[in-house]
Amino acid sequence: MSYTLNYQGQAYKVEIEEDDKQISLEIDGKKVPVEFQKIEENLFSIIYEGKSITLGVVKKGHNLQIFLNGELYEIESVSERDKRKTSQIASGMQEIKSPMPSRVVKILTKQGDEVDVDEGVVVVEAMKMESELKSPIKGEVKDVFVNEGDAVEAGTVLLVVSSE
Amino acid sequence: MSYTLNYQGQAYKVEIEEDDKQISLEIDGKKVPVEFQKIEENLFSIIYEGKSITLGVVKKGHNLQIFLNGELYEIESVSERDKRKTSQIASGMQEIKSPMPSRVVKILTKQGDEVDVDEGVVVVEAMKMESELKSPIKGEVKDVFVNEGDAVEAGTVLLVVSSE
Amino acid sequence: MFNKILIANRGEIAVRIIRACKELGVSTVAVYSDADRRSLHVALADEAYHIGGSAPGESYLVIDKILDVAKKSGAEAIHPGFGFLSENEEFAKRCEKAKIVFIGPSAKAIRLMGDKITARKIAHEAKVPLVPGSEGAVSDVEASVVVDEIGYPVMIKASAGGGGKGMRLVREKGEFESALRMARSEAGSAFGDDSVFVEKFVEQPRHIEIQIIADSYGNVIHLFERECSIQRRHQKVIEEAPSSAISDRTRKKMGAVAVKIAKAVDYQGAGTVEFIMDQKQNFFFLEMNTRVQVEHPVTEMITGFDIVKWMIRIADGEKLPFKQSQIEMKGHAVECRVYAEDPETNFMPSPGTIDYLRVPSGPGIRDDSSIYSGCEITPHYDPMLSKLVVWADTREAAIEKMASALREYIVIGLKTNIGFLLRVMGEEEFKEGKIDTGYIERHPELLKPGDIDIEPVLIAAALAMNNADSVESGEQRPASNWKLYGRKLGLSGGQVL
Amino acid sequence: MFNKILIANRGEIAVRIIRACKELGVSTVAVYSDADRRSLHVALADEAYHIGGSAPGESYLVIDKILDVAKKSGAEAIHPGFGFLSENEEFAKRCEKAKIVFIGPSAKAIRLMGDKITARKIAHEAKVPLVPGSEGAVSDVEASVVVDEIGYPVMIKASAGGGGKGMRLVREKGEFESALRMARSEAGSAFGDDSVFVEKFVEQPRHIEIQIIADSYGNVIHLFERECSIQRRHQKVIEEAPSSAISDRTRKKMGAVAVKIAKAVDYQGAGTVEFIMDQKQNFFFLEMNTRVQVEHPVTEMITGFDIVKWMIRIADGEKLPFKQSQIEMKGHAVECRVYAEDPETNFMPSPGTIDYLRVPSGPGIRDDSSIYSGCEITPHYDPMLSKLVVWADTREAAIEKMASALREYIVIGLKTNIGFLLRVMGEEEFKEGKIDTGYIERHPELLKPGDIDIEPVLIAAALAMNNADSVESGEQRPASNWKLYGRKLGLSGGQVL
């Protein structure tokens, strides 16, 4: 089986070969023989190149959360078909999303405004704390999808900034 | 729903009533309203008569293992049909079972022998330790099913003693 | 000793208090909101009562409901934990009226120390050094005037505040107005009171606090200091005891000052006197917290003194059997607060469900938490998951132990700050003890993973995908090779991918 | 310090050693048998190598395989833990030959103390009091003669033994022959050597042992005593430190004797000198264990001394920086060994799979284990699941803490002794410290649950059955009421039956 795994925008191709003797992975062309074992439902132990590594793994559809040494890695497994879809997202277009379930306290900009890098665009409140969301790019506010006072879910797109 | 629950040879009748308002159990005629919640897959929290009690629960078919305050309770849920079957076991007939996977080291008796209460009948070895299994009753050895050196599973009947 | 105590709190501190009660042979009564039916404090208590909606204002903050449960259950005392009603004068008064012992100081002590402006006056009268600032709550205009006088940088603080809420550091005049607005708004929603005051900001300050314990017979002792300089958003993240920055002489002076302040308000129970300290060990009174502190375990680890048990005993009228001279400290303790939050987005809370949890353990490791595999971290409450505390004979060994323990922690399902905490444990300035409250701001490189080895992550991801594919496609594919492989390893009955 | 250490063991002690190494910045190499691929020691080590079949004789006892892995991985030292090769003279020699440091005493010290008869001679020469008995291994006939001379009760012990294997107490002449046969047979299969010796049995003896630590420069200190009188089948179940039965004077005397014995064999590393003590504090040398002891944590808890780390440091050539006078003890520690065994059937091991596990935690609680939900306890190894250790300021408080912690423990899938341990914590004689090695035999009532409240058990059973029935019958039945009920409680997304 062959998988394309996306991590932080970078795609890695992993090929798994299984024959009667061993499991071997080819990662971006490098061949790695791996001995592995599921320890608990969500705990994997892998032994390869002399290292013993334990990872937490949760799979939700094509999204994987892998936990190693305090870090949670979010990996997306993309099939060939999905890959074409993903590439349609316009470059230079940045969605400002709510990072958690929260309430929109203040919208600091409006459609058509020019915003700078790191300029605050929305203030949200969650867990009794206000946070200012900033624009990661310099550009124009293309759309604002929420109103002050709205309760929003994690991942809700609040507004879109475009650098083009 | 109605259940007959066996614990250590004693049968308890439990009736569960559910209506839109509450859950209520009738245990051997006593009515108990219960508020309950599954905390984890095998962890139940029940609140009743002002008490908050947490129990571990594992269900394997009709056998339940319930853990409370350090004690593991083995409960069998018996349907009406099963109940008739259970009662067929002859009284005064005692099976000596291997309590764990082990090796039969020595058989201290043979078919036809008379044995006393607490007389050793078989020596088994497991986890590098020898243990002598004793007859819980005074009676005659009816049958010996294993040979010295045999490897046996937990629950294997090694021999049968009858008091009749 | 009391027969029954109600714990008017939730989460790890409720669990901590329940455990203390059980060891003292006291029955425990838990209360819970809609969101907390499955919480560990409910599971561990002897009795549990539902008190309302998930929002604190509908449950944990409703005095009538808590007192109703106390009466119904026959609880003789209430432990408020921290947060919620723990520093609420009204609650302490209502308990007294209902003839239920409030495990904490008198309503009067709460009032005097609860208002920071009054607290400053008391400290001033006791000749305790103070940071220059406004003499009380100020209007927007007054604030401007004071700030122009004392000069930037300044701190804006909520009068009724605590825990960093409604607090803002302002370095330039241009930022002042918006910061003031945000602070007032946060203070209003958090404490129902938007009054604020301003103070000169001490450069490179360290946050040092003294734990005090006072019985009802006028005996007050301190249990040395904790250093809580590692903060994000003015909230503590990593605490330790003792501080590596103070001399024995300063320790003694600070301890004596803390005892003096406690005596000035006839304090009873456990309390904490907080100071900020500059780089020359000059310290200034900040505030007094009239409750048990989140970070109390580090003090317990170096003294062997069980603070929560003593709070209960003191409320029960027991006399402190120790003199100050009998209190000794040994070794070094570090606490890391494990939060459901994302350091990469300014430590934004990250609620969700914990799909899988493995907790570190072993010698010198204490994990105070109320989480478990499958539990939900709701947005209704503080996103703290656990307090991981370690003890070792030296600071260096404690830091190594903490790093080792953090590496054993596995939390899946939501973002946590574990990676960040690990990076702090390995950072040179931290290891050398060169820390102050600006530490995290000064080290933005700690917010993101450094050089990572993505290979094992990809291997695990591919194996998980492949395993799922094999399961889905059933017997048709040679997927059973996975199982065969397991058998080849001779795994006796073990689960195999 | 070493760069890399191989841990020639499994289970909780392997995990304990791996953690110590990590905190010292040392890389760890695990070895595992077929049955242990999924064990925690493999998961926590930096490297792991398969060394053979599940039976110890095919893996953990095979010197060649262990040394091969050490060479392959570049390990500079081997920690043997306890059991397996830890007291194997040959292994220590082979390590030396392969220029790999054996973390423990010299092969000579192992040999001298490993044979109990030689050990008795050494103790005798050092004028340490000894229990009367045969001067070495005896034939069946010789044994009879000695026993007739010293009189019943007598103990039969394996010459090469330890851990209670091949040991039998005989109270009457009639039992002697069969007991001798069983002891020889057990000794033969456990140690490959069926020689035994006989000793007078001290009535109501307490088992007291002294922990010693010796560096390679001739410095020997002791870390006070542990009391391990609560035994079943001559194996320790509950240990504590300090002993409540000895005076400071006896403590000093025993400590000095233990140090003398260690010096007599040029001991190096951690070791334990075991004594039996009668009701008048007369003590007799029993044996010396030349390795880390299962129950070492209780000593660590009262002294703050990390025994495993010091074993490694000493093997690395470090000098002990402490003098005897600097070692202090504080408070009281109790350890309970949680076993997969059934107290109702003479503590018969009960291997199986742990379907569900919840472990106690909180202040003063240490759980040294290698188990987890889903792990398998195989019949190949010792059925110990965990060492639950607590510390508190007094013995009374420690016992209360232990009871509270045991009540938090949840293990499902196999029988455990947790209920039994809980009953011991509540038993009057134990609480008063009136214990000796016959304690469990004297208290058969502790083997079974006392008055139990079956009602909650039946409720949980019925709810579980009903839940399953509802799931199986799908939508046809009004089973969704369960869900409705959950919603009524306002559970935001929580799992509902």
Side-chain angles (χ1 to χ4, degrees):
Chain A
M1 281 298 272
S2 173
Y3 299 94
T4 300
L5 302 171
N6 277 351
Y7 172 64
Q8 295 203 331
Q10 189 158 349
Y12 301 86
K13 199 166 174 307
V14 183
E15 181 96 28
I16 298 192
E17 276 170 44
E18 345 164 11
D19 66 32
D20 211 44
K21 287 256 167 56
Q22 70 164 41
I23 308 285
S24 149
L25 288 88
E26 195 170 309
I27 301 175
D28 282 347
K30 181 191 166 196
K31 210 156 183 172
V32 190
V34 173
E35 208 270 84
F36 71 97
Q37 189 62 222
K38 209 163 150 177
I39 299 185
E40 288 188 66
E41 189 48 37
N42 295 293
L43 202 57
F44 280 42
S45 163
I46 61 175
I47 298 180
Y48 82 107
E49 292 178 352
K51 289 172 282 191
S52 171
I53 297 175
T54 308
L55 307 99
V57 179
V58 172
K59 182 176 169 298
K60 290 173 178 168
H62 284 264
N63 294 308
L64 293 147
Q65 291 189 327
I66 313 252
F67 188 92
L68 176 61
N69 279 337
E71 235 35 82
L72 189 68
Y73 299 90
E74 303 197 292
I75 305 270
E76 196 192 2
S77 172
V78 197
S79 68
E80 288 307 310
R81 207 179 50 229
D82 294 337
K83 253 194 283 184
R84 281 186 291 272
K85 270 194 256 168
T86 317
S87 61
Q88 288 167 1
I89 294 170
S91 62
M93 198 76 132
Q94 198 65 45
E95 296 176 335
I96 313 295
K97 294 179 184 177
S98 169
M100 53 170 306
S102 50
R103 198 173 57 82
V104 176
V105 176
K106 206 167 182 66
I107 299 172
L108 306 170
T109 182
K110 61 179 190 300
Q111 200 178 324
D113 278 6
E114 285 291 325
V115 291
D116 232 339
V117 179
D118 278 347
E119 181 173 335
V121 286
V122 182
V123 179
V124 296
E125 191 236 283
M127 285 166 159
K128 289 191 285 176
M129 196 198 66
E130 294 192 3
S131 309
E132 202 175 75
L133 303 182
K134 293 168 180 180
S135 173
I137 56 170
K138 181 179 161 70
E140 186 193 326
V141 177
K142 282 285 176 198
D143 232 328
V144 179
F145 302 108
V146 289
N147 295 309
E148 291 183 4
D150 282 4
V152 293
E153 290 300 306
T156 303
V157 178
L158 307 178
L159 51 81
V160 174
V161 180
S162 165
S163 66
E164 282 163 8
Chain B
M1 283 296 277
S2 173
Y3 299 94
T4 300
L5 302 172
N6 277 350
Y7 172 63
Q8 294 203 331
Q10 189 159 349
Y12 300 86
K13 201 167 172 306
V14 182
E15 180 98 29
I16 298 193
E17 276 171 45
E18 346 165 10
D19 66 33
D20 211 43
K21 288 257 168 55
Q22 69 164 39
I23 308 286
S24 147
L25 288 88
E26 196 170 311
I27 301 176
D28 282 349
K30 180 192 168 198
K31 209 156 183 169
V32 190
V34 173
E35 207 270 84
F36 70 98
Q37 189 62 222
K38 210 163 150 176
I39 298 185
E40 287 187 67
E41 189 47 38
N42 295 294
L43 202 58
F44 280 40
S45 164
I46 61 176
I47 298 181
Y48 81 105
E49 292 178 351
K51 290 173 282 191
S52 172
I53 297 174
T54 307
L55 307 98
V57 179
V58 172
K59 181 177 170 297
K60 290 173 179 168
H62 284 264
N63 294 307
L64 293 147
Q65 290 189 327
I66 313 255
F67 188 93
L68 175 61
N69 279 337
E71 238 29 88
L72 189 69
Y73 298 90
E74 302 197 291
I75 306 269
E76 195 191 2
S77 172
V78 197
S79 69
E80 289 305 311
R81 209 179 48 227
D82 293 338
K83 253 194 283 186
R84 282 186 292 271
K85 269 193 257 168
T86 318
S87 61
Q88 289 168 2
I89 295 171
S91 61
M93 196 75 130
Q94 199 64 44
E95 296 177 336
I96 312 295
K97 293 180 186 176
S98 170
M100 53 170 306
S102 50
R103 198 173 56 83
V104 178
V105 176
K106 207 166 179 64
I107 298 171
L108 306 169
T109 183
K110 61 179 192 300
Q111 200 179 324
D113 278 6
E114 286 291 324
V115 292
D116 232 338
V117 179
D118 278 346
E119 183 173 331
V121 287
V122 181
V123 179
V124 294
E125 190 236 282
M127 287 168 158
K128 289 191 287 177
M129 198 198 65
E130 295 192 0
S131 311
E132 203 174 76
L133 302 181
K134 294 169 179 181
S135 173
I137 56 171
K138 182 178 158 71
E140 187 193 324
V141 177
K142 282 285 174 198
D143 231 327
V144 179
F145 302 109
V146 288
N147 296 309
E148 292 183 2
D150 281 6
V152 294
E153 290 300 305
T156 303
V157 178
L158 308 177
L159 51 81
V160 174
V161 179
S162 164
S163 66
E164 281 163 7
Chain C
M1 182 49 64
F2 303 114
N3 288 309
K4 200 182 270 188
I5 291 177
L6 184 149
I7 295 93
N9 215 305
R10 63 175 301 283
E12 67 83 21
I13 191 64
V15 169
R16 167 75 183 91
I17 297 164
I18 289 168
R19 285 176 173 149
C21 289
K22 293 203 167 192
E23 289 170 28
L24 291 170
V26 177
S27 275
T28 49
V29 179
V31 290
Y32 62 95
S33 71
D34 285 344
D36 276 337
R37 173 63 183 87
R38 290 168 66 230
S39 292
L40 202 59
H41 74 287
V42 175
L44 290 181
D46 299 308
E47 300 176 38
Y49 297 88
H50 178 241
I51 51 163
S54 301
E58 297 170 15
S59 47
Y60 299 110
L61 287 174
V62 185
I63 295 177
D64 284 335
K65 289 185 177 182
I66 307 260
L67 289 178
D68 271 358
V69 172
K71 277 173 214 159
K72 185 159 65 176
S73 63
E76 300 157 30
I78 296 179
H79 198 306
F82 48 68
F84 297 132
L85 297 171
S86 62
E87 292 176 291
N88 184 310
E89 178 195 359
E90 175 65 17
F91 183 57
K93 272 188 189 158
R94 291 282 306 278
C95 284
E96 198 181 335
K97 215 165 148 187
K99 302 214 185 315
I100 292 166
V101 176
F102 173 81
I103 300 176
S106 66
K108 187 184 155 206
I110 294 175
R111 176 170 50 78
L112 293 176
M113 286 301 163
D115 183 80
K116 294 193 182 175
I117 293 146
T118 314
R120 274 174 68 96
K121 274 187 199 141
I122 292 168
H124 184 66
E125 280 159 22
K127 297 197 179 16
V128 173
L130 291 167
V131 177
S134 64
E135 290 295 312
V138 279
S139 69
D140 289 6
V141 176
E142 288 166 345
S144 263
V145 174
V146 173
V147 166
D148 285 344
E149 208 178 276
I150 61 179
Y152 287 91
V154 297
M155 281 295 263
I156 307 172
K157 295 181 179 180
S159 301
K165 270 154 198 148
M167 198 184 259
R168 283 288 184 285
L169 165 62
V170 190
R171 291 204 169 269
E172 288 168 36
K173 201 176 171 79
E175 300 166 359
F176 187 70
E177 200 174 326
S178 86
L180 189 62
R181 182 182 50 75
M182 301 261 281
R184 276 207 201 279
S185 152
E186 252 183 56
S189 74
F191 316 111
D193 174 1
D194 72 352
S195 26
V196 297
F197 64 98
V198 290
E199 251 179 27
K200 175 83 184 169
F201 178 68
V202 176
E203 287 290 352
Q204 288 203 292
R206 301 178 82 115
H207 176 113
I208 315 269
E209 59 187 33
I210 300 283
Q211 174 72 53
I212 70 110
I213 302 271
D215 66 18
S216 50
Y217 307 93
N219 301 306
V220 187
I221 57 170
H222 70 85
L223 303 177
F224 311 110
E225 82 285 3
R226 293 184 285 260
E227 165 141 24
C228 318
S229 297
I230 308 289
Q231 306 184 349
R232 53 116 185 73
R233 269 199 259 105
H234 310 298
Q235 282 186 319
K236 301 160 187 169
V237 188
I238 300 169
E239 298 102 342
E240 56 185 300
S243 165
S244 60
I246 71 173
S247 63
D248 265 343
R249 207 169 141 253
T250 305
R251 176 172 294 125
K252 265 196 183 150
K253 257 166 67 185
M254 281 179 116
V257 165
V259 167
K260 204 156 72 176
I261 290 175
K263 285 189 169 167
V265 293
D266 294 326
Y267 200 81
Q268 177 189 320
T272 299
V273 182
E274 297 192 332
F275 299 95
I276 59 169
M277 189 179 87
D278 69 15
Q279 298 292 312
K280 290 171 185 157
Q281 298 192 39
N282 297 310
F283 57 87
F284 309 97
F285 173 73
L286 212 54
E287 62 178 5
M288 178 167 187
N289 292 325
T290 57
R291 49 159 166 90
V292 66
Q293 205 92 331
V294 176
E295 61 272 22
H296 75 277
V298 289
T299 300
E300 296 185 328
M301 299 292 263
I302 62 159
T303 60
F305 194 100
D306 190 315
I307 292 170
V308 176
K309 278 191 193 168
W310 274 105
M311 289 178 80
I312 296 169
R313 289 191 184 114
I314 285 168
D316 191 46
E318 206 166 313
K319 217 171 182 162
L320 273 177
F322 317 100
K323 290 209 171 91
Q324 187 65 53
S325 58
Q326 289 170 283
I327 308 294
E328 283 174 359
M329 62 182 192
K330 182 175 178 177
H332 199 94
V334 177
E335 171 179 286
C336 280
R337 301 193 191 182
V338 177
Y339 281 105
E341 65 182 19
D342 185 0
E344 291 190 51
T345 58
N346 193 27
F347 302 97
M348 181 77 77
S350 152
T353 299
I354 295 182
D355 293 311
Y356 180 72
L357 174 71
R358 194 182 69 189
V359 164
S361 71
I365 289 172
R366 167 175 170 186
D367 187 56
D368 273 25
S369 86
S370 63
I371 58 172
Y372 52 84
S373 288
C375 81
E376 212 196 339
I377 307 303
T378 70
H380 303 296
Y381 313 111
D382 189 79
M384 189 169 76
L385 299 178
S386 145
K387 297 177 339 196
L388 181 61
V389 192
V390 303
W391 179 91
D393 48 0
T394 64
R395 183 173 189 268
E396 194 192 345
I399 291 171
E400 281 303 323
K401 192 181 274 290
M402 178 58 85
S404 198
L406 285 167
R407 266 184 226 110
E408 279 195 37
Y409 230 121
I410 295 183
V411 186
I412 296 194
L414 35 72
K415 290 218 166 95
T416 73
N417 64 342
I418 296 173
F420 163 75
L421 295 168
L422 250 173
R423 289 187 287 276
V424 174
M425 293 303 129
E427 195 278 323
E428 281 311 314
E429 282 195 352
F430 177 77
K431 289 206 274 187
E432 287 165 22
K434 288 184 186 159
I435 54 176
D436 57 70
T437 58
Y439 174 83
I440 292 178
E441 264 175 56
R442 212 164 54 238
H443 289 283
E445 81 282 1
L446 299 174
L447 303 182
K448 285 174 207 269
D451 286 340
I452 58 162
D453 179 12
I454 194 71
E455 209 170 79
V457 174
L458 295 175
I459 291 173
L463 290 172
M465 288 305 299
N466 197 54
N467 177 40
D469 287 348
S470 304
V471 171
E472 278 161 29
S473 60
E475 306 251 292
Q476 288 105 329
R477 293 187 55 250
S480 52
N481 270 1
W482 294 101
K483 282 222 166 112
L484 270 178
Y485 184 65
R487 285 196 202 109
K488 253 178 234 292
L489 286 173
L491 294 154
S492 52
Q495 257 180 296
V496 178
L497 259 180
Chain D
M1 182 48 66
F2 303 114
N3 288 308
K4 200 181 270 189
I5 291 176
L6 184 150
I7 294 93
N9 215 304
R10 62 175 301 283
E12 67 83 21
I13 191 63
V15 169
R16 168 75 182 90
I17 297 164
I18 289 169
R19 284 176 173 148
C21 289
K22 293 201 169 196
E23 290 170 28
L24 291 170
V26 178
S27 275
T28 50
V29 180
V31 291
Y32 62 95
S33 72
D34 285 346
D36 276 337
R37 172 64 183 88
R38 290 169 67 230
S39 292
L40 202 58
H41 75 286
V42 174
L44 290 181
D46 299 306
E47 301 176 37
Y49 298 87
H50 179 241
I51 51 164
S54 300
E58 297 171 16
S59 47
Y60 299 110
L61 287 174
V62 185
I63 295 178
D64 284 334
K65 289 185 178 182
I66 307 264
L67 290 178
D68 272 357
V69 173
K71 278 173 214 159
K72 187 159 61 177
S73 64
E76 300 157 30
I78 297 180
H79 197 307
F82 48 67
F84 296 131
L85 297 171
S86 62
E87 292 175 291
N88 185 309
E89 177 196 358
E90 176 66 15
F91 183 56
K93 274 188 190 158
R94 291 282 305 278
C95 284
E96 198 181 334
K97 216 167 149 187
K99 301 211 186 317
I100 291 166
V101 177
F102 174 81
I103 300 176
S106 66
K108 188 186 155 203
I110 295 175
R111 175 170 52 79
L112 293 174
M113 286 300 164
D115 183 79
K116 294 194 181 174
I117 294 148
T118 313
R120 275 174 67 96
K121 274 184 199 143
I122 291 169
H124 184 68
E125 281 158 21
K127 298 195 174 23
V128 173
L130 290 166
V131 178
S134 66
E135 291 294 311
V138 280
S139 69
D140 289 7
V141 175
E142 288 166 345
S144 263
V145 173
V146 173
V147 167
D148 285 344
E149 208 178 277
I150 61 178
Y152 289 91
V154 296
M155 281 295 261
I156 306 172
K157 294 182 180 178
S159 301
K165 270 152 199 151
M167 199 186 258
R168 284 290 185 285
L169 165 63
V170 189
R171 292 204 168 271
E172 288 168 37
K173 200 176 171 77
E175 299 166 1
F176 186 71
E177 200 175 326
S178 86
L180 189 62
R181 182 182 50 76
M182 300 262 280
R184 277 207 201 280
S185 151
E186 251 182 59
S189 74
F191 316 112
D193 172 2
D194 72 352
S195 23
V196 298
F197 62 99
V198 291
E199 251 179 27
K200 175 85 184 168
F201 178 67
V202 177
E203 287 288 353
Q204 287 202 294
R206 301 178 83 116
H207 177 113
I208 314 268
E209 59 187 32
I210 300 283
Q211 173 72 55
I212 69 109
I213 301 270
D215 66 17
S216 49
Y217 307 94
N219 302 305
V220 188
I221 57 170
H222 71 83
L223 302 177
F224 311 110
E225 82 284 3
R226 292 184 285 260
E227 166 140 23
C228 317
S229 297
I230 308 289
Q231 306 184 348
R232 53 116 184 75
R233 269 198 259 106
H234 311 299
Q235 283 186 318
K236 301 160 189 169
V237 189
I238 299 170
E239 298 102 341
E240 56 186 299
S243 165
S244 60
I246 70 172
S247 63
D248 265 343
R249 207 169 140 253
T250 306
R251 177 171 294 124
K252 266 199 183 147
K253 258 165 67 184
M254 281 179 117
V257 165
V259 167
K260 203 155 72 176
I261 289 175
K263 283 189 169 167
V265 294
D266 293 326
Y267 200 80
Q268 177 190 321
T272 299
V273 182
E274 298 191 333
F275 299 95
I276 59 170
M277 191 180 85
D278 69 16
Q279 299 292 313
K280 289 170 185 156
Q281 297 191 40
N282 297 311
F283 57 88
F284 310 97
F285 172 72
L286 212 54
E287 63 177 4
M288 177 168 189
N289 293 324
T290 57
R291 50 159 166 89
V292 67
Q293 205 92 330
V294 177
E295 60 273 22
H296 75 276
V298 290
T299 300
E300 297 184 329
M301 299 292 264
I302 61 159
T303 60
F305 193 99
D306 190 315
I307 293 170
V308 176
K309 278 192 194 168
W310 274 105
M311 290 178 80
I312 297 169
R313 289 191 184 114
I314 286 168
D316 191 45
E318 207 166 312
K319 216 170 182 163
L320 274 177
F322 317 99
K323 290 212 171 88
Q324 187 65 51
S325 57
Q326 290 170 283
I327 309 293
E328 284 175 357
M329 61 184 194
K330 181 174 179 178
H332 199 93
V334 177
E335 171 179 287
C336 280
R337 301 192 191 184
V338 177
Y339 280 105
E341 65 180 21
D342 185 1
E344 291 190 52
T345 58
N346 194 27
F347 301 97
M348 182 77 77
S350 153
T353 298
I354 296 182
D355 294 310
Y356 180 73
L357 174 70
R358 194 181 69 187
V359 164
S361 70
I365 289 172
R366 167 175 169 186
D367 187 55
D368 274 24
S369 86
S370 61
I371 58 173
Y372 52 84
S373 288
C375 81
E376 213 197 340
I377 307 303
T378 69
H380 304 295
Y381 312 110
D382 189 82
M384 189 169 75
L385 299 179
S386 146
K387 297 175 340 196
L388 182 60
V389 192
V390 304
W391 180 91
D393 48 359
T394 63
R395 184 172 189 270
E396 193 191 347
I399 290 171
E400 281 303 323
K401 192 181 274 288
M402 178 59 84
S404 198
L406 285 167
R407 266 183 227 109
E408 279 194 37
Y409 231 120
I410 295 182
V411 187
I412 296 192
L414 34 73
K415 291 216 166 97
T416 72
N417 63 342
I418 296 174
F420 164 75
L421 295 168
L422 250 174
R423 289 187 286 277
V424 174
M425 293 303 130
E427 195 278 323
E428 281 311 315
E429 281 195 352
F430 177 78
K431 288 206 275 188
E432 288 166 21
K434 289 186 186 157
I435 54 176
D436 58 71
T437 58
Y439 173 85
I440 292 178
E441 265 176 55
R442 212 163 55 237
H443 289 282
E445 80 283 2
L446 299 174
L447 303 182
K448 283 172 209 270
D451 286 341
I452 57 162
D453 178 11
I454 194 71
E455 210 170 78
V457 174
L458 295 175
I459 291 172
L463 290 174
M465 288 304 299
N466 196 56
N467 177 39
D469 288 348
S470 305
V471 171
E472 278 161 29
S473 60
E475 306 253 292
Q476 289 106 329
R477 295 188 54 252
S480 51
N481 270 0
W482 295 101
K483 284 221 168 118
L484 268 178
Y485 185 64
R487 286 195 202 106
K488 254 180 235 295
L489 286 173
L491 295 156
S492 52
Q495 257 180 295
V496 178
L497 257 180

